[in-house]
Structure formats: structure tokens, C-alpha cells
Amino acid sequence: MIEPLLRITGLVAGYGRIEALHGVDLVVNASEVVCLIGRNGAGKSTLLKSVAGLVRPARGEILLDGEEITDWPVQRRARAGIATVPEGRHVFGPLSVHDNLLLGGHGQHGGMLAASLDDVYTRFPRLAERRHQAAGTLSGGEQQMLAIGRALMAGPRVILLDEPSLGLAPRIMAEVAEIVSALAGAETGVLVVEQNAEVAFRIARRGYLLERGVISASGPTRVLRDNARVRAAYLSKD
Ligand code: ATP
């Protein structure tokens, strides 16, 4: 049996005595974009942080390519190919676009580094045009592209994206959605957290609904879209 790229089983995690995830199972295969949707406080960021190694699970397992990484420190996971694009983007404002990308390519040299830069600039011509511009002066959408580009510099296997559409104008949101849906490759899978279900369904083929720390629905997004729980979660107000 071929192991999925990322497998999470029975994940229980939280902060001190607050348990935010109560036994989550989730799978991301290579070449797929998977969305995780849910309302404020459902535990979406906690799940991403657990995969990245920023939150230590109380129970459960996280496997990358069949290898258990549950207790690995952040840096080791990053080296193994887990890349995070955090909410709020966090580009280094005073540094140029180019230098921000170089920071993402740490550990690479020479030809490999040049090839990674080439790949990012080909994907994002807008970043190529602005390579000498200070990152802090980019538009919101461009900063999001830069944050994604920086994650790509490390040649990731699993890309974790936290709310990529947050705070973007609808037109830019559509552009970023298109970029994210094209990120998966033969050896790469994407897990994207979105509070905006419409955007999530546009980006991903498959998804999970997280409600109060429990996965309450999952499946192809074309089916999830009409799921009663999904509709209830998104039609009612917070
Ligand atoms: P949002 O969409 O608002 O970002 P989310 O689904 O990502 O929400 P989490 O941020 O994972 O939700 O939060 C899940 C629960 O854990 C919430 O009840 C939250 O208050 C709690 N929580 C999150 N971070 C911490 C923390 N550092 N310390 C204590 N509790 C936390």
C-alpha cells in the first residue's frame, strides 16, 4: 500500500489545560490540494501548528511519507519538507523581494538555489518585476505571493497555508486562489486552512470540516458544498 504524503491520526492537542483538537484524522496525498474549513476557534490553526511542530500533541500520530514525525522539532520537519505560510504572511518588510526569497532557500547553494529562484520567478512574474522592491511596500496580494514563493524556495513536500485569502480584495483573492490550487505537484501536497468556504472550495478538490476540535464532515468539495453541517456552519452567524 502506498502511504499518503501526510497522515494524521487521533490527534489531540491544545494549550495547557485547554484541549483544542479532540482526536483528528486527516490525510493529504501528493498532488492534491486539501482544504480545512471551520469557524473561528474551531482549531484549524492548532492543527496546522501541530503539523509544523509548533504545538506538541498530547496524543495521536503525524506521519510524513509513512515516517512518524510527531515528536520531531520544527527545524527537522522543515528540512524534511514541511513548509508553512502563516496567517498574516510575515514577510520581512525592509528586505527586498529577492532577499526574502533567499531567506526561504537557506541551506541551498549555487545551481540549486538559482533553480529554485528561477522556479519562483517563473510562477510569479509579478515578483520577478519587483525583485528589488522592499517587501513591506508590496500590495497585500503580492505579499501573499511572496510568502508562498518563500515557502516554495525550500522545495517542500507538504505546504501548509493558513488563511491565504484573509484581508484580500475579491479580485486578488481569486488570483491567489488560482495560485494555491496550482501548488500541488507530483511529490507535493497542500493543506489550506480557510474560513471562507467559497474560496476553499474553489482552491481544493477535497476537504474537511472542523467543528470544535472534531472533524464533522469530509469528502470531495463538490459534495461538501451541499453537506448539511457545512451549510449550517456557514449560513449561521458566528
Ligand atoms: P481562527 O479561524 O479564528 O484562526 P482556528 O480555527 O484557527 O480559529 P485555533 O486558533 O486553532 O482556531 O484555536 C482553537 C482553540 O484554541 C480556541 O478555543 C482558542 O481560543 C484556543 N487557543 C488558540 N491558541 C491558544 C493559545 N496560544 N493559548 C490558549 N488557547 C489557545
Side-chain angles (χ1 to χ4, degrees):
M1 196 187 86
I2 300 173
E3 274 296 329
L5 180 59
L6 179 72
R7 180 195 287 283
I8 299 170
T9 48
L11 187 71
V12 174
Y15 309 89
R17 267 194 258 153
I18 301 170
E19 194 180 286
L21 301 173
H22 313 298
V24 168
D25 296 337
L26 181 147
V27 162
V28 178
N29 293 298
S31 77
E32 69 173 350
V33 179
V34 173
C35 66
L36 179 67
I37 57 170
R39 293 162 72 173
N40 278 123
K44 305 181 299 296
S45 302
T46 305
L47 193 140
L48 286 196
K49 285 181 192 156
S50 302
V51 177
L54 297 165
V55 165
R56 187 54 53 97
R59 286 200 301 282
E61 284 188 338
I62 303 170
L63 281 80
L64 178 67
D65 266 332
E67 183 169 15
E68 189 177 351
I69 64 164
T70 320
D71 296 322
W72 286 15
V74 177
Q75 282 310 320
R76 187 168 176 203
R77 294 182 204 219
R79 280 197 303 273
I82 292 182
T84 311
V85 182
E87 188 181 337
R89 304 182 265 277
H90 300 292
V91 298
F92 294 96
L95 296 186
S96 68
V97 166
H98 196 76
D99 286 344
N100 267 274
L101 291 178
L102 289 178
L103 284 173
H106 55 84
Q108 293 183 18
H109 305 281
M112 214 174 136
L113 184 61
S116 300
L117 278 168
D118 226 41
D119 173 54
V120 171
Y121 284 141
T122 307
R123 268 178 208 262
F124 304 109
R126 202 120 47 109
L127 293 184
E129 286 163 20
R130 291 168 172 73
R131 70 180 79 196
H132 301 301
Q133 191 173 325
T137 64
L138 296 175
S139 72
E142 289 161 357
Q143 288 192 25
Q144 183 65 64
M145 289 175 205
L146 179 55
I148 294 170
R150 195 175 56 193
L152 288 175
M153 287 294 294
R157 306 286 319 282
V158 177
I159 304 172
L160 307 170
L161 287 136
D162 201 355
E163 306 254 9
S165 78
L166 197 71
L168 299 181
R171 195 173 49 81
I172 311 297
M173 209 184 267
E175 203 177 323
V176 168
E178 207 155 295
I179 287 165
V180 173
S181 49
L183 286 179
E187 303 219 323
T188 309
V190 177
L191 179 60
V192 54
V193 157
E194 265 292 348
Q195 225 189 102
N196 184 330
E198 269 317 308
V199 171
F201 294 157
R202 210 180 304 156
I203 292 174
R205 287 264 191 83
R206 206 162 63 72
Y208 295 83
L209 171 67
L210 188 63
E211 287 187 289
R212 298 169 197 252
V214 174
I215 300 288
S216 57
S218 64
T221 45
R222 65 185 153 69
V223 179
L224 265 189
R225 190 187 290 274
D226 297 320
N227 179 287
R229 297 203 72 101
V230 172
R231 296 186 75 86
Y234 284 95
L235 291 175
S236 60
K237 286 274 145 225
D238 279 336

